[in-house]
Each structure stands twice: as C-alpha cells, then as structure tokens.
Amino acid sequence: MKKLSLILLTPLMIAAAFAQESEGTEQKTPALELFSDEVPRYTGFAVGAHFLNQYALGDWADFATANIGAGLDAEYTLPVFLPKNIDWGISGSAEFAHVFPKADGTLKSDDQLNFSLGAWMRLPFLLAGQTFAFQPELSYGLILHHAKGQNGSTVDGRFIDSSLSLALGLRYIAPVDSLKNLEFEFAPTYTFSPEKESKSVNYLGFRLGAVWHFDRKTKVQATEEEKPPVVESPAAEAESEVLPLPLASLTVTGDRLTPDGDGMNDSVTFHPALQNADGKTDGWTLSITDPQGNPFRTIKGKGKLPESIEWDGLSDKGEAVFSKNTYGARLTVNLGREDRKRSGVKTVEASAEVKTGILLQVIVPEHEWKMVVSSMQFAGDGSTFDGLSSEILASNRETLDDVTQQIKEHPGANVFVQGYANNVSGTEKENTEELIPLSQARAEFIVEELVKRGISRSTLTAEGKGGVDPLADRNDQANWWKNRRIEFLIKK
C-alpha cells in the first residue's frame, strides 16, 4: 500500500513542491497555473512507444516479483472541446512483458502480451514556466500468456480473463519548435487482473514513453451571436492606448553581398528590433530564402533579440549565394509570456531583402577566375532579350554591365562564355537536340552584348554546354533554376 500511495501521488507531489517554492517570492506570475491556454493542444491521431516496469502485489506476489516490457500506443483526441482547455480521447495499446518469477515459487517463466483499449482526459498546466499536461487513463484489456511451471508444465493462451489498468500520466512538452508535436510521459500505473481460478494478479509500477501528435488543435471560435458583448472600462481603454500591439522590424546594412573572400561586401548585417514589448522572448528565428523562396539559411536564438546578426552569405550546407539575385529574410519572434498575455499575440514577424553582386571565384590565383550568373532571363525558349518587360530588361543590362566591369579589370585575359541548361527528361536526346543548340545560341548572344560594351571580340569564346555539370540533382526540382545559368570563365 505504501508503494501504491507513493507512485500514484508522485505527479501531485512535484506540482506542490514547485508551488511551495514560489511562495514568498516576488514573481508576478504563479509557478503553477492550471488549465493554461499556453499548453499546446492537439487533434486527431497520435502514436507513441513506452517502457514498462511493474511489481507484483496480492496473490500474484506468491508467484512473481516484477515484470518488465515495452509497448506501442495509439491515441485519438475526440473533436469535442471541453471547458478550461480540457481534452479527452480514446487509446489503444499493445504491450509485451517478461515476468520475473519468485525464487521459491512454482512459476519458472511467463511472457505476456497485453492488448487494451482505454479512455483518458487531459488537463493542461504550466509549472515553473514549462508546459505540462496531467492525463489520467483507464484501460481495459486482454492478456495472453506463455507460462512455464517449475514442474515442466506449460500454459499457453488466455488463463486470465481481463485486466483493468489506471495510469496517471504526466506529459511534458519540450520548448523546441522542431519537437512541438512530441510529448514525453511519465505515468505511475496500477493493473488489476482476476484469474479464472478466482485469484487476482495485481501490479504496481510505472511507464516511460513519448507520443507524437500528427496535428495541433485550434480553438473553437464563437460566432458573433454567441460572443458576449465586451464593455471596456476607461482604465482598460487607457491601457490599450498606452500599450499598443508588439511589432517587429528588420533592417539590413551592406549592399551587393559577394562572399568571395576579397574583403569587400563579404557579409551583411541584419538589425532586428522589437517595439511595444518588454524585450523578453521565447526564442527567435531568422529564415533566409533563395530567389525561388526555398529555405537557404536559418539562424536561431533564445532570450532577448540581439542588436545585430551578421550573415556571411552561406547556406546551412555551406553553399554561397548566386550572383545578381535577391534573397529574402524573415524574422519570427516568439513573444515572452507577459507580452502574450497582455496583447493576445504569440508571434510577430518582419521581413527584408538582400541583393547580391557579382561573385568572382578564384580558380587559379592570378590566372583563372569564374563568375556564375543564374538570374539572366531570355525571351521564352529563345536566346535573345526580345519581348522582355522593361524591368527584366533593365536587370539583364545591369548584370551585363557588372560582368563587363569585372572583365575589364583583367586586361589581356580570354573569356569563355558558357551557356548551361536544365535537362528535364534526363535523356541524351534532349541534351543533344535541344539544350546544346539553345545554350550555344544564348552564349553567342551574350558575347555580342559584351562586344557592344567594349570587350574585344578576339578575347571572347561562346560555348554551349547544355545540361552537363548540373548544380542541382534531377530529384531536386526546387533547385533546377541553378542549372539554367551563364558562366564566365576568365583565363590569363
């Protein structure tokens, strides 16, 4: 009975300890907050796994000391919203356990397979700033056995009618964005199983596990007819005027990012800021996307926003930005608890853009350099700028002007203008019949544009490469745009 009391009361003892610790302090918020709307809520299905350890009680203690095992779980949150953010649902479990027989008993070994169905209720609460949920569960199951006696006898199948189990689950949700749907569980358990021979099998123990939810739950929004009228006092109106909603901003210093190691414009600096808030955050993320909107670089932090964030122009994989392109940046700030409660806003965002210049890659020091340009656009499937909008045409001309300036800074060098395309089908036929002729025509057109800008024709060579040397794999369709490019190889 002492073991039973200790294990079943463990979650309540932990909560009481934290609450007592907060007494006598000057905290503005309680250490324990029941039914908190800050705890994530879920909907639909979840799956999990657990480790189980139990100790024999009652009549069964004459035969066994304990069992140990593991199980797979599935649970479903019913789509019915209860008051105070309480949820309820049903669950199913399959457990395998090995029984440790008592040394002086008649049992030699016993392996169990337990199938059970249950119902649970979930009560969310905050404890010392961390998110928890108390989830008691009552389940009913069938236990199948493979047992051996000391006398050599064997019993297979169902010699226990059923089992009734109570688990006082304590769930913990880690404050990490990538684990927002994962809960860790500690649950004291009590299992009662009557035998056919009118004896009983009782276990007292615990289980440790984790549960992954497939989706979060959204709160039910009341209709306009259901919403009670809101009457604000003069004091509340004055407070709303003094304390407007939190806002985030993001600015950038540094122009024409070119992380090519020449000491000029090799990085840019972001300046994040948070207005109308106390400055405390539950974490922030700076997400940088490539010109097609694909994730490129992610920078995260906790606590107060930094005054500046320097970016070296590299992706999470170490890949440098492309020349003459625009990269997007979005700042997402998870507001601190006080700001969330005051404003009703959980996150604020701000965005900015970073433009890149011409990156001059050193291939052989003092002898060979390369420029890769993927932002040049041609009319349709053609090889000229005819019919392009004035905005695209201006961008192309600016790019060619910058390329010309780089070439002129290497007098006497030969320049190989190489056109590349993306092989959609992955066949040699497409490459030979379509891509090589197209990329050759585009390279020749670019040569003519460089001649118009004062580059000697005798130093220029047009090469149509087609779909060879792709920068993005065929399976990486989101980055196919990198394969459609013009490269300028400068050789002395």
Side-chain angles (χ1 to χ4, degrees):
M1 183 57 68
K2 291 183 178 180
K3 286 185 179 180
L4 174 63
S5 302
L6 180 60
I7 295 179
L8 297 184
L9 293 177
T10 296
L12 300 179
M13 294 169 61
I14 295 174
F18 274 97
Q20 185 175 5
E21 182 180 347
S22 66
E23 294 181 0
T25 64
E26 297 181 356
Q27 292 181 347
K28 295 182 179 180
T29 57
L32 176 63
E33 181 180 340
L34 298 176
F35 312 112
S36 172
D37 59 1
E38 299 292 330
V39 180
R41 305 181 71 193
Y42 305 101
T43 186
F45 288 96
V47 295
H50 66 264
F51 164 80
L52 181 71
N53 189 15
Q54 298 184 113
Y55 299 93
L57 301 173
D59 296 334
W60 188 238
D62 295 334
F63 301 92
T65 59
N67 72 1
I68 187 171
L72 297 177
D73 308 292
E75 65 181 46
Y76 177 73
T77 303
L78 296 173
V80 178
F81 288 77
L82 299 179
K84 291 186 176 293
N85 298 316
I86 299 174
D87 291 319
W88 59 345
I90 56 178
S91 61
S93 177
E95 293 177 344
F96 174 80
H98 175 72
V99 175
F100 294 93
K102 195 169 183 180
D104 56 352
T106 60
L107 185 67
K108 183 177 181 180
S109 68
D110 184 15
D111 293 318
Q112 301 178 354
L113 188 60
N114 183 14
F115 298 96
S116 62
L117 295 175
W120 51 264
M121 183 170 290
R122 175 186 173 91
L123 294 78
F125 65 94
L126 284 179
L127 186 61
Q130 300 296 309
T131 52
F132 292 88
F134 178 54
Q135 189 163 317
E137 177 183 357
L138 187 64
S139 57
Y140 181 82
L142 171 69
I143 300 180
L144 302 179
H145 289 254
H146 175 69
K148 293 182 179 180
Q150 295 288 354
N151 60 1
S153 62
T154 301
V155 177
D156 288 304
R158 174 187 171 195
F159 65 85
I160 292 181
D161 291 332
S162 58
S163 67
L164 187 65
S165 298
L166 174 65
L168 301 181
L170 180 64
R171 300 280 181 93
Y172 171 68
I173 304 95
V176 180
D177 288 342
S178 59
L179 300 178
K180 64 182 180 181
N181 284 3
L182 181 66
E183 289 185 313
F184 300 95
E185 181 188 57
F186 168 74
T189 61
Y190 174 70
T191 301
F192 170 76
S193 300
E195 279 191 4
K196 289 183 177 181
E197 290 80 5
S198 299
K199 295 183 179 180
S200 64
V201 173
N202 296 275
Y203 283 117
L204 179 66
F206 67 91
R207 72 186 187 200
L208 293 173
V211 176
W212 177 267
H213 296 267
F214 290 101
D215 197 7
R216 287 201 176 196
K217 179 180 289 187
T218 56
K219 294 182 179 179
V220 174
Q221 301 294 331
T223 63
E224 293 298 328
E225 293 77 9
E226 295 172 336
K227 292 180 181 178
V230 178
V231 180
E232 291 190 355
S233 65
E237 293 178 357
E239 182 179 358
S240 64
E241 293 176 0
V242 175
L243 299 174
L245 293 178
L247 296 173
S249 63
L250 184 66
T251 57
V252 185
T253 57
D255 191 28
R256 302 300 178 186
L257 173 65
T258 55
D260 48 18
D262 63 355
M264 299 176 59
N265 301 319
D266 285 335
S267 66
V268 295
T269 303
F270 295 98
H271 300 279
L274 191 60
Q275 295 92 36
N276 309 327
D278 63 8
K280 297 178 182 178
T281 77
D282 279 353
W284 54 268
T285 302
L286 179 63
S287 303
I288 301 172
T289 55
D290 69 17
Q292 302 300 313
N294 304 313
F296 190 74
R297 179 70 180 271
T298 301
I299 305 172
K300 293 185 177 183
K302 296 182 178 180
K304 189 176 181 181
L305 274 177
E307 295 182 359
S308 62
I309 305 170
E310 186 174 6
W311 178 41
D312 57 6
L314 302 181
S315 72
D316 291 325
K317 298 179 180 179
E319 175 188 0
V321 295
F322 275 70
S323 299
K324 302 301 293 184
N325 267 299
T326 301
Y327 287 73
R330 178 171 293 277
L331 174 70
T332 302
V333 181
N334 299 318
L335 296 175
R337 185 165 180 268
E338 290 298 324
D339 287 321
R340 294 198 305 270
K341 292 186 66 175
R342 176 186 65 81
S343 65
V345 177
K346 293 186 176 181
T347 61
V348 290
E349 295 184 340
S351 59
E353 290 184 344
V354 176
K355 295 185 179 296
T356 63
I358 293 290
L359 280 74
L360 190 65
Q361 304 174 26
V362 178
I363 307 301
V364 179
E366 306 298 329
H367 292 285
E368 189 174 338
W369 303 264
K370 183 170 69 172
M371 294 175 285
V372 180
V373 177
S374 62
S375 59
M376 201 91 69
Q377 297 188 44
F378 296 87
D381 293 329
S383 57
T384 69
F385 295 163
D386 297 340
L388 294 177
S389 67
S390 57
E391 181 180 356
I392 295 176
L393 189 59
S395 175
N396 285 349
R397 288 171 175 170
E398 178 185 317
T399 299
L400 287 171
D401 290 343
D402 290 348
V403 169
T404 301
Q405 181 61 36
Q406 290 286 356
I407 294 175
K408 289 182 177 180
E409 291 180 2
H410 298 82
N414 293 314
V415 180
F416 297 85
V417 180
Q418 301 172 333
Y420 289 86
N422 183 60
N423 193 330
V424 176
S425 66
T427 63
E428 183 59 31
K429 180 179 179 181
E430 179 185 359
N431 190 52
T432 303
E433 297 181 3
E434 299 179 27
L435 302 185
I436 290 180
L438 177 62
S439 59
Q440 179 69 33
R442 289 179 174 178
E444 291 173 355
F445 176 79
I446 297 300
V447 165
E448 295 302 321
E449 290 293 316
L450 295 177
V451 171
K452 293 178 183 179
R453 288 165 171 76
I455 305 299
S456 174
R457 187 187 300 274
S458 63
T459 64
L460 297 171
T461 302
E463 297 179 344
K465 296 290 188 177
V468 301
D469 299 329
L471 299 181
D473 188 81
R474 271 184 48 75
N475 297 324
D476 189 10
Q477 188 171 350
N479 286 301
W480 278 0
W481 63 275
K482 299 177 182 179
N483 296 334
R484 306 180 187 101
R485 66 193 189 276
I486 301 292
E487 293 190 2
F488 301 86
L489 192 62
I490 304 174
K491 291 185 177 182
K492 268 193 175 182

